[in-house]
Amino acid sequence: MSVDFNVEQINPLTMVGNEAVSRRDLMSPYIWRLDDGSYAMLVRAVPRPGETGDTGTIWYATSSDGLCFSATDVPVLSPGPGPDDIGGCEDPTPVFRADGSVVIYYTGVDETRTHGEMLYATGPSINRLEKQGVAMQNTPTQGNIKEATVDRTTSGGWRMFFEFARGEASLVGLAVSDGDAGPWIDKSDPFAPRPDGWDSWHLSTGPLLTTDKERPVMFYNGATHDARWRIGWIAFDAEYTKVVGRCVEPLITPPPSLERTATDIAFAASVVNVGDEIWLYYSLADTHLYRAIIRQS
């Protein structure tokens, strides 16, 4: 049985909050559905171009319709005081436990704003988190590890996809663990750039659609050498040991810009199943958030 997806509708997201967050651009929206049918979001808020400060703070927001969100008064993760994330907190990915507690993977940026690490925090709830330090160490061949995507397989093991830097490229790695908070053991890269494709140079992790646990699908991010990012999909077997399908053309492409030098980025961050619809959340130009309603065909 083949896999394919079609975009049916695209809507912008809005988020209201106090001045500390409303003056910032938004990216990396991780959205999920709550037990009462409403929606929750962790999102990275970034200083706008020309403004100085950190590279991001992570905020929590809620919504009744999955489009219009209201943020809390303070971020749930802020830079420091330790050196691992004194420069910024980015790319939130929560893992919810059966007892209601949470593990949040995020990127910590150091004081230089040039070096990142995969960090994690744990707590009994989203607004009561304690930073735990490094989740996965950078290595000489895998730098700036970030952008976690986590899933538990049908056999009970845990898998973490992550972005890392090697040479002049961003690539996707895979690690395994017996628990949701590690320790994580690095495995071989799950897939690679395609020399003649829209994803010919850079790759980054995206959210997993796991309604079919025998064939999970990642909506991943890919780009050419000049970092023109698009969103595509790739399907795996149940244990993430091999690729069983991959798109030819991107699923989502940024709208045309009047200037060639403009930021040309569409970046997937989370996916929610609502009835027979798939809601894919992503950012454009690292500034604004959108939801695409897609269907599998």
Side-chain angles (χ1 to χ4, degrees):
M1 181 179 175
S2 62
V3 181
D4 203 2
F5 297 91
N6 299 291
V7 177
E8 294 193 340
Q9 181 177 323
I10 292 176
N11 301 99
L13 267 66
T14 60
M15 188 176 82
V16 297
N18 60 25
E19 187 176 9
V21 69
S22 62
R23 288 179 54 85
R24 292 187 165 215
D25 290 331
L26 302 176
M27 56 191 298
S28 304
Y30 192 101
I31 294 169
W32 68 99
R33 206 164 191 188
L34 299 172
D35 291 339
D36 63 2
S38 62
Y39 301 85
M41 174 171 68
L42 289 174
V43 65
R44 173 186 170 193
V46 190
R48 290 176 179 166
E51 297 181 357
T52 59
D54 54 66
T55 67
T57 51
I58 296 173
W59 294 73
Y60 177 71
T62 54
S63 169
S64 61
D65 62 1
L67 289 175
C68 303
F69 286 82
S70 297
T72 52
D73 289 335
V74 294
V76 295
L77 286 171
S78 298
D84 288 340
D85 65 357
I86 193 65
C89 299
E90 307 175 358
D91 317 321
T93 299
V95 178
F96 297 100
R97 293 167 164 167
D99 64 0
S101 63
V102 63
V103 180
I104 296 183
Y105 291 95
Y106 71 102
T107 305
V109 179
D110 71 0
E111 186 176 12
T112 69
R113 311 293 199 272
T114 61
H115 176 82
E117 294 268 10
M118 175 80 75
L119 308 180
Y120 74 112
T122 61
S125 63
I126 288 288
N127 59 356
R128 295 169 59 198
L129 298 172
E130 183 175 344
K131 296 178 180 180
Q132 302 296 330
V134 177
M136 206 173 161
Q137 295 280 354
N138 292 337
T139 71
T141 60
Q142 292 179 324
N144 290 327
I145 291 176
K146 60 181 182 178
E147 299 276 5
T149 296
V150 181
D151 186 38
R152 192 176 193 184
T153 69
T154 54
S155 66
W158 289 87
R159 304 290 184 267
M160 177 196 283
F161 293 88
F162 57 91
E163 179 191 319
F164 67 92
R166 178 182 291 155
E168 296 181 351
S170 296
L171 299 170
V172 171
L174 175 64
V176 302
S177 176
D178 292 330
D180 56 14
W184 295 98
I185 300 171
D186 189 29
K187 295 297 205 179
S188 59
D189 296 353
F191 60 103
R194 296 176 291 189
D196 298 324
W198 56 273
D199 49 3
S200 62
W201 193 266
H202 298 290
L203 297 174
S204 184
T205 53
L208 285 166
L209 178 68
T210 57
T211 47
D212 181 357
K213 293 292 288 184
E214 296 301 314
R215 189 172 51 186
V217 175
M218 175 184 285
F219 296 101
Y220 73 98
N221 304 293
T224 49
H225 196 189
D226 56 353
R228 299 186 180 279
W229 288 90
R230 281 86 176 96
I231 300 168
W233 62 262
I234 189 166
F236 300 92
D237 69 331
E239 296 297 314
Y240 299 101
T241 60
K242 63 181 179 180
V243 173
V244 299
R246 189 171 180 177
C247 66
V248 176
E249 297 297 331
L251 181 66
I252 295 177
T253 299
S257 174
L258 296 177
E259 298 181 9
R260 174 68 180 171
T261 57
T263 303
D264 189 9
I265 297 175
F267 217 82
S270 55
V271 65
V272 179
N273 290 290
V274 181
D276 61 352
E277 296 179 343
I278 301 165
W279 291 6
L280 178 64
Y281 288 94
Y282 64 100
S283 61
L284 283 181
D286 292 344
T287 58
H288 293 86
L289 309 182
Y290 290 84
R291 181 197 68 185
I293 298 177
I294 62 179
R295 291 186 188 270
Q296 183 171 337
S297 59

